[in-house]
Amino acid sequence: MPDSAPTRLPEHSTARPRPGRLVVTDVDSTFLTQEVIELIAEHAGTREQVAAVTERAMRGELDFADSLRERVATLAGVPVSALDAVREAVVLTPGAEELVAEVRRRGWEFGLVSGGFAEVLEPLATSLGITRWRANRLEAVDGVLTGRTTGPVVDRALKEATLRQWTAELGLSMADTVAVGDGANDLDMIDAAGIGIAFAAKPAVRARAPYSLDGPRLDAVLRIVDTVDGRRTAADTHPS
């Protein structure tokens, strides 16, 4: 049975000072419980069609950029005002807020990188005080979605590049990074991170990620980080 208790250090903890870290998570089906594109597709009457393509893309059966174009094309004609309802409908994964709070308490940095959409992610990130985020943008003309995105697609390569960019900006090394995701689009950043974690992930991602969690709480990733740090401390203290 997965442990549903929040992950926190005891208030009296006298653990050694922790290194600076950057924790980056995927958004749809990781930081959020849903796929945002499916919530938008509900307003276009194409949710089942979009969900089927999303599932194949997250399993790695389809190229993400191609699948995104195919799914976004079904959103043409949806009024931009419908995004207000989508923003209201998103649900944080249990432990997501606690993860952000604990990362800050430890003096680390937190970021979100998404194959979803800035129109939904930006206000969510702002509400949680998250300043590092990246997502696709939907094109709109005369108050309706055109069925296209603007700018570079946030695919698996750009997710990894974003992780590396933020790491360099913070003066950290890749060994200091933690990347968390559930789908094939997250594999490159999971591979590149010092600690890569599959969270409630597709089988191919679970098989490849160094660490895996079933859920349901996202803040459980800190237990993995703490275990890794504990092993490193033991190795430094008692070298072979």
Side-chain angles (χ1 to χ4, degrees):
M1 291 288 292
D3 189 346
S4 60
T7 298
R8 296 187 180 90
L9 285 182
E11 292 301 320
H12 63 276
S13 173
T14 57
R16 69 181 179 85
R18 298 168 184 274
R21 283 198 181 276
L22 168 64
V23 179
V24 173
T25 81
D26 171 49
V27 178
D28 293 14
S29 296
T30 302
F31 197 78
L32 299 177
T33 62
Q34 311 111 311
E35 293 287 328
V36 167
I37 194 168
E38 294 175 15
L39 298 179
I40 303 173
E42 188 77 43
H43 296 268
T46 59
R47 181 164 186 163
E48 289 187 8
Q49 174 187 345
V50 165
V53 177
T54 298
E55 180 68 18
R56 293 184 64 196
M58 292 302 96
R59 290 199 303 260
E61 297 173 6
L62 299 174
D63 175 78
F64 180 82
D66 290 342
S67 75
L68 183 69
R69 281 189 286 271
E70 179 182 344
R71 288 175 289 161
V72 171
T74 75
L75 308 181
V78 171
V80 171
S81 59
L83 297 178
D84 292 336
V86 172
R87 285 187 282 265
E88 289 293 324
V90 296
V91 177
L92 292 175
T93 296
E97 285 189 87
E98 290 84 353
L99 173 61
V100 175
E102 179 64 11
V103 163
R104 288 184 179 141
R105 193 186 73 80
R106 296 180 180 195
W108 301 350
E109 293 285 334
F110 186 85
L112 296 168
V113 60
S114 177
F117 306 110
E119 290 78 5
V120 174
L121 181 56
E122 183 172 16
L124 173 65
T126 299
S127 72
L128 296 171
I130 299 168
T131 58
R132 292 184 184 276
W133 60 270
R134 179 164 287 169
N136 298 298
R137 286 195 177 274
L138 293 164
E139 183 182 76
V141 175
D142 296 330
V144 299
L145 301 183
T146 66
R148 295 184 294 271
T149 60
T150 62
V153 171
V154 183
D155 58 9
R156 58 194 290 175
L158 188 52
K159 284 192 171 188
E160 179 190 351
T162 299
L163 177 67
R164 292 185 180 279
Q165 175 190 334
W166 290 345
T167 301
E169 289 172 356
L170 292 166
L172 300 173
S173 71
M174 289 301 292
D176 301 322
T177 62
V178 181
V180 186
D182 73 301
N185 201 38
D186 303 311
L187 276 172
D188 287 5
M189 73 172 184
I190 287 173
D191 285 345
I195 301 176
I197 303 172
F199 180 81
K202 302 297 183 289
V205 181
R206 294 169 65 91
R208 183 160 149 184
Y211 303 94
S212 182
L213 290 167
D214 292 334
R217 294 193 62 88
L218 190 59
D219 54 352
V221 303
L222 292 167
R223 297 178 189 166
I224 292 177
V225 177
D226 292 343
T227 298
V228 171
D229 282 349
R231 290 172 182 165
R232 289 174 179 168
T233 299
D236 292 343
T237 305
H238 304 288
S240 57

